[in-house]
Amino acid sequence: MTTRPDLRDGLPLGRRLRVVAVHAHPDDETLATGVALASHAAAGDEVHVITCTLGEEGEVIPPELVHLEGTGDLGPHRVGEVRAATAVLGARHHWLGGDPPRWRDSGMAGSPAAAHPRAFASADVGEAAGVLADLLEELRPDLVLTYDPHGGYGHPDHVQTHRVTVAAVARLPREQRPRLYMVLTPRSWAEEDREWLRAHVPEGVRSPAGGVARVPAPDDPFPPSVVDDGIVTHAVVDLAARDRQAAALREHPTQVTVHDGWYTLSNDIAARLPGREGYALLEVQES
């Protein structure tokens, strides 16, 4: 296995870092960067999460909460979920543009929510980047974590979060500019995870909504965030942080069902909790 440096590599030893993760919706902070956030918090670093929307368009899994889906009550409910999850991770939580956030969940590509006047995916990038830059200037992070240009799996709000975060970091004075990392998974890890799932996910496991968990087939396509191993420059590997990540995911019951070492979303596709995350350092161009 290739050994990659961690996110602290090259920074002064013994100094308490400030780490900020920027995400589109509640639960993304734990799904995409939960290992890094929990690991840095446990090491004594100051950890922050900035969420851009309330996640109003999320699909709800548990039958007892499904009445929230598609209503004005889901967003406020998810406020409580993200507060609880970030507390488990050891992170402080912020909304982009105030509380509640200025923008709202745009839904999946082509959904009616994309036409909402406050849809984040269609927000002016410069305006949103200015709001984020002001918050980053206040927090003074050493490290900023967010999605790759494809938003992990193509969700319009994730793609927009990448754009806005890159633009915001570029606005900061050079002497204040943090390292910017995007979340990526080495292909070899993704293949190992599928093998693990085939060996560990029992047949017939049902979600609270009654669906049956499905393990991806070996030839199923990977999301765009799975890349050639050489593209991934850094990694966080921490099995103790995995346990905290799983505990934090349990605070997002509308969106995630946690099993023994793996989880499912509303699509019932099994995904592993391997206790490791890959990142690539992103060079920020002058704004």
Side-chain angles (χ1 to χ4, degrees):
M1 178 187 296
T2 301
T3 301
R4 298 175 178 84
D6 63 22
L7 303 181
R8 185 184 286 274
D9 182 60
L11 294 171
L13 294 175
R15 181 164 68 84
R16 188 184 188 204
L17 300 182
R18 287 180 180 156
V19 183
V20 172
V22 186
H23 286 287
H25 315 110
D27 81 5
D28 293 328
E29 80 291 329
T30 309
L31 289 167
T33 57
V35 171
L37 297 179
S39 184
H40 278 273
D45 293 336
E46 185 179 312
V47 177
H48 298 262
V49 170
I50 300 170
T51 309
C52 300
T53 80
L54 296 177
E56 297 94 331
E57 300 300 317
E59 296 178 336
V60 176
I61 297 171
E64 66 272 18
L65 296 174
V66 75
H67 65 277
L68 297 172
E69 187 172 318
T71 74
D73 295 328
L74 179 57
H77 182 90
R78 295 186 73 182
V79 169
E81 291 187 341
V82 76
R83 285 176 179 165
T86 51
V88 171
L89 294 174
R92 305 177 193 182
H93 186 260
H94 313 263
W95 298 104
L96 184 64
D99 185 2
R102 183 179 303 185
W103 293 278
R104 80 181 305 280
D105 189 345
S106 310
M108 296 300 290
S111 71
H116 193 283
R118 291 195 300 112
F120 184 59
S122 57
D124 180 82
V125 172
E127 179 186 0
V131 173
L132 179 56
D134 288 344
L135 184 50
L136 293 178
E137 198 157 14
E138 176 185 334
L139 295 176
R140 296 291 185 98
D142 299 283
L143 312 174
V144 171
L145 317 178
T146 195
Y147 315 102
D148 69 287
H150 301 285
Y153 65 98
H155 192 294
D157 285 339
H158 290 215
V159 174
Q160 178 78 325
T161 300
H162 172 87
R163 293 191 197 106
V164 168
T165 305
V166 171
V169 171
R171 284 184 178 222
L172 297 176
R174 178 168 289 279
E175 64 274 11
Q176 295 180 19
R177 198 171 295 166
R179 291 185 182 180
L180 177 59
Y181 289 96
M182 53 185 178
V183 184
L184 293 170
T185 301
R187 181 172 293 274
S188 64
W189 286 11
E191 292 170 348
E192 289 172 12
D193 289 347
R194 285 192 176 178
E195 290 181 9
W196 186 95
L197 290 167
R198 287 193 291 274
H200 291 84
V201 176
E203 291 186 11
V205 175
R206 292 189 173 274
S207 73
V212 177
R214 182 179 75 82
V215 175
D219 56 351
D220 281 354
F222 287 113
S225 57
V226 175
V227 297
D228 291 341
D229 283 32
I231 296 174
V232 180
T233 60
H234 293 70
V236 179
V237 180
D238 187 337
L239 295 183
R242 175 192 61 187
D243 295 338
R244 291 179 68 184
Q245 180 191 31
L249 285 176
R250 290 189 176 94
E251 301 294 346
H252 287 290
T254 62
Q255 308 299 304
V256 187
T257 304
V258 181
H259 301 272
D260 185 11
W262 56 283
Y263 67 90
T264 53
L265 304 179
S266 60
N267 58 12
D268 291 321
I269 298 175
R272 186 184 180 191
L273 291 167
R276 59 189 181 189
E277 290 165 356
Y279 292 88
L281 182 64
L282 185 61
E283 295 296 332
V284 176
Q285 303 300 317
E286 296 293 334
S287 61

